[in-house]
Amino acid sequence: MSRPIDAPEDTVSPKTAAALRAAMTRLFEGRPQRTDGRLTKENLYKEAQVSRATMNRARAVLAEWDAHIAAHGKATPGEAKRDAAIADLKKRLTAKTQECTLLEKKLKAAQTAIAALFHDNEALRQQLAKDVSTTVTSLRPRGPRQTR
């Protein structure tokens, strides 16, 4: 089996390379067995149950690891889901905050209108109290009713 000229050469056994690739797959899929699941090389060798030095000799596996991290970032599927949930919650919080601000402005406007109406009402009551002392004259004289 020939390998490309620029491909790194592994100096580890096929069994070790397979263990590292299996560990890498578990970490990328968010199913760690022996670590906390963070996408670090430390977790890779611990997940594969090999030494750091052995992992460092598996240059092809490390090249695959680096390529995947460069393409997908260091966020695990669980972290990506969590980050998406946090972003959604922040968006909803912003919308609710804007809604509360609008309602607060409406409440202050209503409070001002109610206060103005209250003062107008008080002024009208005082005016009515002054005018009660005046006599009211009826428009037509009251007398016995006529029946037909």
Side-chain angles (χ1 to χ4, degrees), residues 27-96:
L27 287 171
F28 290 155
E29 292 175 353
R31 308 178 288 108
Q33 294 176 349
R34 297 171 183 88
T35 63
D36 61 6
R38 289 179 300 124
L39 299 181
T40 62
K41 288 182 181 175
E42 180 179 2
N43 280 350
L44 176 61
Y45 73 79
K46 287 180 179 178
E47 190 71 29
Q49 291 184 309
V50 298
S51 71
R52 183 172 191 89
T54 300
M55 177 195 68
N56 287 335
R57 287 193 309 272
R59 291 188 184 101
V61 174
L62 291 178
E64 291 172 30
W65 173 271
D66 292 338
H68 185 278
I69 294 299
H72 300 95
K74 284 193 157 201
T76 64
E79 290 170 336
K81 186 186 246 185
R82 178 204 64 207
D83 293 346
I86 289 171
D88 180 55
L89 288 172
K90 283 182 179 180
K91 182 178 165 187
R92 288 173 47 199
L93 177 63
T94 300
K96 290 296 181 185

